[in-house]
Amino acid sequence: MPRILAFAEAREGTIRPVAREAVAAARALAAAGDEVEAVVLGGAGVGGEAAGLGSVGASRVHVGESDALKAYSPEAYTTVLAGLVRSGDYRAVVFPGSAMGKDLAPRLAARLGAGYASDCTGLELEGEEVVATRPRYAGKVFARERITGSPAVVTVRGNAFAVEEGSGSAEVVPLDLSLREADFGAIVCEVRSGAAAKLDVAEAPIVVSGGRGLRDPANFKLLEELAEVLGNAAVGASRAVVDAGWRPHSDQVGQTGKTVAPQLYFAIGISGAIQHLAGMRTAKYIVAINKDPDAPIFKVADYGIVGDLFEIVPRLTEEIRRLRSS
Amino acid sequence: MKIVVCVKRVPDTEARIRIAGDGRSADPAGVKFITNPYDEFAVEAALRLREAAGEGEVVALTVGGPEAAETLRAVLAMGADRAVLLRAEGAPEGNAVAEAIAAELREQSFDVALFGMKAIDDDLQAVGAMVGERLQLPTATSVTEFRVEGSRVTADREVEGGIEVVELQTPCVLTITKGPYEPRYASLKGIMAAKKKPLEEKEAATGEARSRVESLSYPPERQSGRIVGQGPDAVPELVRLLREEAKVI
């Protein structure tokens, strides 16, 4: 029976929410009769939540727990994953489109001699082969790409595959690990977290982005307050303000930053350059706040308010805070 | 210190992408091409590394058609010492490009191979890691900054919500994202000198393609939305719409 494997990414001993999206994407790809499985790697105890992946559709979770895997190493993780994939009839391996997913998946594809597609927003089977839909040029166009041969290795874009919570518990199977010292090349020796390990723009269900209209880096405080009352929101930025050094590049949305697909995207003081529009136009809903009624951003926004963001944003924050507390 | 830096010629970020008549490629007509912005960070990092070492060589490498020589000349003008163009027809997919680069790098000894984190045309973000795997070398991707002491390399990787500090040994492969390596401009002297620097051309040893583009399409046009109102007085209506119509808050 053909199987599809989802990489259930864990960091610091905890399975990350994107792992459930990878399982959901594997489910979306599965043909009738295909089994969806997951794999978790990490230090002792990382498999503690593994059975819970059954509620989103995994029938079996392979757990590789070892002190040797506690710190992330692309080479060692690849060795373990390649061993697992070679042991069974896997037609695809699905990774989250996260920093770890995009580090590991191409490496695994090269190890297996498999075809690869990244940041997929759609996956389907045609015959025995996987056909992926994915953005190119940051989303200025979308491609349908056929991956020849089996298995296919893919990463999926954050928020592109809906997670359906059900009931059910996965069978947990320990992985047989036999790693040699030569399996460890690059190894993570330290993790420096940003402000309280903030939510990433590529993963957040809500993104509040700011542009040059904010006038001064200190004014991003207004967007941070709005993001905080919304909850589950990340603060993003246009290229102009990142180039000016106001915000880190990791927050940049657009062609030289991240492409995002949140449920809700606020573009505040952003006029809407072509590179920025490409990166955020697959958001489900877009809200634009800008003083220029002719700004291109209004052409893609679902809802717009024309006016001074310094008056509008605090009012919006206050209104949502009131809503949340009622 | 020998550093190889891999670069790609891509459409300018300002370019509107039009689908060509074949339905599966982008029409290059009227499009301005640039050096992939992430690759420019890698070039800058390579030049600084050579400068800090006080000796060594920076080799620029690309896979592409004859027009890609223009990109290599631009990198030579920034300060690379020599360049290699691995000639390939069309736009080979990532796996094939990785194979061609790995085949070339097997012939050259080097300390560090640098790539841009991703190319902004196919957005694959894979070639550096694939080359690292093919050469069985330690690899770190999405690196904002790195330090080399003897054979020990420490690299800061950009991950969700923070930085992972990775340790690896030379020879190694790094892919570079935006950090402190603000690319320098080529000086007039650099541009003149670049014309005399060696640029070798040879056939790319691309392997078998493992994926192919079947079709390209434009993203669905978004319905132009509505202006809810002017100024802060429009806020309650916006909140109502987000809650009752869009159901997203």
Side-chain angles (χ1 to χ4, degrees), chain A:
Chain A
M1 191 181 292
R3 300 193 264 179
I4 296 173
L5 185 66
F7 180 71
E9 176 174 329
R11 257 169 66 193
E12 284 157 55
T14 308
I15 294 178
R16 300 186 66 229
V18 289
R20 303 171 93 73
E21 293 186 35
V23 175
R27 271 254 75 91
L29 176 61
D34 285 0
E35 282 215 61
V36 170
E37 302 183 348
V39 56
V40 185
L41 304 179
V46 77
E49 309 152 55
L53 293 170
S55 69
V56 289
S59 60
R60 185 177 298 126
V61 185
H62 303 272
V63 176
E65 290 186 344
S66 159
D67 282 347
L69 297 176
K70 190 170 179 212
Y72 173 60
S73 161
E75 294 83 3
Y77 276 42
T78 300
T79 298
V80 175
L81 293 176
L84 173 61
V85 173
R86 286 185 182 125
S87 73
D89 176 20
Y90 288 99
R91 54 163 110 234
V93 189
V94 180
F95 288 82
S98 57
M100 192 188 288
K102 286 178 177 171
D103 190 64
L104 196 49
R107 190 141 192 136
L108 179 69
R111 179 87 54 105
L112 296 171
Y116 176 64
S118 67
D119 244 352
C120 303
T121 55
L123 291 170
E124 56 196 290
L125 276 176
E126 277 189 15
E128 293 296 301
E129 290 183 331
V130 173
V131 177
T133 301
R134 56 180 298 272
R136 288 187 164 227
Y137 308 92
K140 289 176 183 172
V141 294
F142 278 72
R144 270 175 60 83
E145 297 181 14
R146 177 178 295 270
I147 300 173
T148 48
S150 183
V153 178
V154 299
T155 65
V156 294
R157 168 111 74 109
N159 297 309
F161 290 86
V163 176
E164 281 171 43
E165 282 290 342
S167 54
S169 182
E171 176 197 356
V172 174
V173 191
L175 262 178
D176 186 21
L177 301 170
S178 46
L179 288 159
R180 300 159 305 142
E181 204 181 317
D183 289 317
F184 294 86
I187 191 148
V188 175
C189 58
E190 185 193 340
V191 179
R192 287 202 301 265
S193 288
K198 61 180 185 160
L199 200 54
D200 192 81
V201 287
E203 296 179 354
I206 302 179
V207 177
V208 180
S209 275
R212 223 172 344 211
L214 269 295
R215 282 196 225 134
D216 186 283
N219 293 329
F220 267 82
K221 182 166 57 64
L222 296 174
L223 306 198
E224 277 153 10
E225 285 164 359
L226 175 57
E228 199 185 323
V229 298
L230 285 161
N232 271 336
V235 174
S238 71
R239 175 176 164 175
V241 306
V242 171
D243 283 351
W246 296 5
R247 302 295 289 183
H249 176 254
S250 53
D251 294 350
Q252 185 179 326
V253 173
Q255 198 169 3
T256 49
K258 288 173 178 155
T259 48
V260 299
Q263 288 288 306
L264 177 59
Y265 189 88
F266 288 91
I268 299 174
I270 290 177
S271 62
I274 180 171
Q275 307 94 320
H276 190 81
L277 296 182
M280 46 68 91
R281 64 182 303 150
T282 47
K284 191 146 185 238
Y285 287 95
I286 297 170
V287 174
I289 299 171
N290 203 297
K291 64 177 194 295
D292 174 10
D294 297 321
I297 194 76
F298 286 118
K299 292 202 175 62
V300 301
D302 299 276
Y303 307 111
I305 298 183
V306 178
D308 183 355
L309 71 90
F310 296 101
E311 294 173 12
I312 295 165
V313 176
R315 180 76 187 275
L316 184 57
T317 304
E318 182 192 306
E319 201 73 22
I320 291 168
R321 185 177 286 129
R322 185 154 55 210
L323 189 73
R324 289 281 192 259
S325 61
S326 67

Side-chain angles (χ1 to χ4, degrees), chain B residues 110-246:
Chain B
F110 63 89
D111 299 291
V112 183
L114 299 177
F115 293 75
M117 176 193 72
K118 66 172 178 181
I120 60 156
D121 55 356
D122 64 17
D123 286 331
L124 196 65
Q125 201 175 327
V127 170
M130 286 178 165
V131 169
E133 172 60 32
R134 283 173 190 284
L135 298 176
Q136 304 226 324
L137 291 180
T139 305
T141 59
S142 301
V143 171
T144 55
E145 192 173 6
F146 65 96
R147 299 154 290 279
V148 181
E149 288 162 66
S151 64
R152 184 160 155 266
V153 177
T154 318
D156 296 348
R157 287 191 71 216
E158 190 178 281
V159 298
E160 294 82 7
I163 293 286
E164 275 180 0
V165 185
V166 178
E167 269 187 19
L168 49 179
Q169 297 283 322
T170 59
C172 65
V173 175
L174 305 175
T175 80
I176 310 295
T177 187
K178 188 168 180 173
Y181 305 118
E182 189 58 42
R184 65 192 66 186
Y185 286 105
S187 62
L188 184 61
K189 195 174 150 213
I191 294 166
M192 297 310 289
K195 292 179 181 165
K196 296 193 190 103
K197 288 179 181 173
L199 194 162
E200 185 187 357
E201 284 195 38
K202 47 176 127 169
E203 284 304 308
T206 49
E208 192 189 344
R210 295 187 182 88
S211 70
R212 62 173 184 270
V213 176
E214 300 212 315
S215 62
L216 293 182
S217 58
Y218 297 107
E221 275 301 314
R222 289 191 78 99
Q223 297 267 324
S224 199
R226 67 189 109 150
I227 300 292
V228 176
Q230 313 274 330
D233 292 345
V235 166
E237 176 62 3
L238 171 68
V239 171
R240 189 191 70 76
L241 289 166
L242 291 176
R243 200 157 72 109
E244 292 172 16
E245 191 178 79

